[in-house]
Amino acid sequence: MITPYYGEFLQNPVPLELSIGSCSHGCAYCFATAKPSVDSSSTKEVEAAMRWLATYHDKSSFEARLLQLGYPVVVSNRTDPFSRSGERDVLPIMEIMRDMDIPMMIQTKGGRKALDFAKTLKPSFWYVSLSFDPDHAKLCRQIEPGAPDPMERLDLVRKLCEMGHSVAIGWNPCVQDWVTDPAKFARLLKRSGACGVWLENLHLERKRLAIMGERRCGLLGDSLIQKACDKSRPLSPFLEIARECCKSEGLSVFSGFHWDRSDFWKPCQSIYEHTFPIWQDCINHLHDSVEPLTAIDGDWFANGFKRRLPNIPSEACCGHI
């Protein structure tokens, strides 16, 4: 269904997400594999989503009001719309949303129908995940067995940009053993036409290791798994190197727990008429307009966000953030 984008509230300016079914890319590290597959119920989910979309103009829920106001929807944070399973479960809903002129932000590793759909879509913001350089295509196929290889994804980015879409790369997770030369990789990303790069460490939960299984854990390696499960560790030195390489190529860089100024979200905010406020807006304002050592109080902070939020009756927000 279309739901509030809880997990990215104040981090991503798109306030809604569509996630249905399961992803067949089979990435060993994917957080979505931490829960059992909902593939068996996907037909009912798809039918329910289509019924809801057919009448959302008449509804008063928080999600419906945001759609009525023209806010975009992320497709998708918990599956991939262009995986083989996404073709069946998610793509039909996306086609209806496109025909209803509902704006979408697309998150994907690509797939055989990605470009065909992109050709029919208004200029949109795409987030293409790519953690492996072409030198590690074989390892990529082992760890992300259902996803396109690195060169296919770079080609997807280039063609999306040629169509008029804005594309950011998700170098997420950013793992040293998956990239031979971070400077060379950053140049490849820039030459593909990407406007920005989202960089994060690999994060894993201990409870997921049993779900991942011995073979997938073996592909990642004990050392990487231990680092990924350590919640106390700082950002890795390699991630900092990758940040500097991307910035030197003129790419806007974003990470969830960095306080640097960044224009990573500007293309997204310029494409869609309505977006939610994010932490990065506040950080950029502090860098651009506030003198060092100036006191910032809670009212200044809260009012800055409040001006960017939609005026929705409180009863529509019951049960939501």
Side-chain angles (χ1 to χ4, degrees):
M1 286 295 293
I2 293 176
T3 58
Y5 199 9
Y6 294 130
E8 300 293 331
F9 182 60
L10 297 183
Q11 185 157 282
N12 187 319
V14 178
L16 295 167
E17 71 166 314
L18 169 68
S19 288
I20 284 178
S22 59
C23 180
S24 56
H25 282 334
C27 303
Y29 55 83
C30 179
F31 74 90
T33 61
K35 58 183 180 181
S37 171
V38 294
D39 189 57
S40 60
S41 63
S42 61
T43 300
K44 292 182 179 179
E45 285 187 286
V46 171
E47 292 172 350
M50 289 183 173
R51 287 195 299 271
W52 187 88
L53 281 169
T55 58
Y56 85 86
H57 280 294
D58 302 321
K59 300 181 183 299
S60 59
S61 66
F62 182 54
E63 298 90 332
R65 294 299 294 269
L66 288 179
L67 281 190
Q68 292 161 18
L69 291 170
Y71 282 87
V73 180
V74 168
V75 188
S76 163
N77 189 47
R78 287 172 286 169
T79 183
D80 191 312
F82 302 112
S83 65
R84 292 300 179 96
S85 58
E87 290 178 10
R88 180 192 66 230
D89 298 333
V90 186
L91 191 54
I93 301 173
M94 294 168 66
E95 291 169 344
I96 289 174
M97 292 169 61
R98 175 202 61 203
D99 295 343
M100 297 177 74
D101 208 25
I102 295 173
M104 288 174 270
M105 171 188 163
I106 312 295
Q107 296 190 163
T108 185
K109 286 186 170 76
R112 60 183 182 175
K113 295 191 176 182
L115 286 173
D116 287 341
F117 182 77
K119 292 173 185 176
T120 70
L121 190 65
K122 289 182 178 179
S124 302
F125 189 69
W126 290 62
Y127 172 97
V128 176
S129 297
L130 180 56
S131 294
F132 297 84
D133 67 9
D135 293 343
H136 291 81
K138 182 178 179 180
L139 182 62
C140 178
R141 285 192 293 272
Q142 293 173 334
I143 293 178
E144 302 177 350
D149 69 26
M151 289 305 297
E152 289 180 86
R153 281 183 246 180
L154 288 167
D155 188 55
L156 171 64
V157 174
R158 179 179 60 80
K159 290 177 178 176
L160 288 171
C161 293
E162 289 173 354
M163 292 177 194
H165 300 290
S166 292
V167 185
I169 300 293
W171 190 348
N172 179 11
C174 179
V175 177
Q176 184 170 358
D177 292 342
W178 299 353
V179 173
T180 301
D181 182 342
K184 181 180 177 181
F185 189 48
R187 285 194 295 274
L188 280 176
L189 301 183
K190 178 66 175 179
R191 290 171 185 168
S192 73
C195 57
V197 179
W198 186 329
L199 288 153
E200 298 290 355
N201 285 327
L202 175 64
H203 296 286
L204 292 174
E205 300 287 343
R206 290 284 180 188
K207 64 182 180 181
R208 289 179 47 210
L209 300 183
I211 298 173
M212 288 166 56
E214 185 176 338
R215 187 186 69 83
R216 289 187 175 183
C217 288
L219 290 171
L220 296 178
D222 291 340
S223 176
L224 180 58
I225 287 174
Q226 289 176 6
K227 291 177 183 177
C229 290
D230 183 1
K231 304 305 178 186
S232 65
R233 69 194 175 109
L235 294 177
S236 69
F238 181 72
L239 187 140
E240 294 297 329
I241 292 169
R243 284 178 63 86
E244 292 307 312
C245 289
C246 290
K247 288 165 70 174
S248 69
E249 292 295 329
L251 292 159
S252 296
V253 179
F254 179 81
S255 297
F257 297 99
H258 251 272
W259 308 110
D260 295 345
R261 196 195 184 289
S262 174
D263 289 330
F264 177 89
W265 289 111
K266 276 198 171 181
C268 178
Q269 292 166 323
S270 66
I271 286 172
Y272 305 112
E273 183 178 358
H274 301 288
T275 56
F276 260 37
I278 52 175
W279 291 113
Q280 192 65 55
D281 295 335
C282 180
I283 293 167
N284 288 353
H285 180 72
L286 292 172
H287 278 281
D288 295 344
S289 305
V290 179
E291 291 295 322
L293 304 181
T294 301
I296 301 298
D297 62 24
D299 287 341
W300 176 90
F301 181 77
N303 289 335
F305 283 103
K306 201 157 59 174
R307 287 193 297 270
R308 294 281 309 281
L309 292 170
N311 184 19
I312 291 179
S314 58
E315 61 268 19
C317 301
C318 182
H320 297 304
I321 294 175

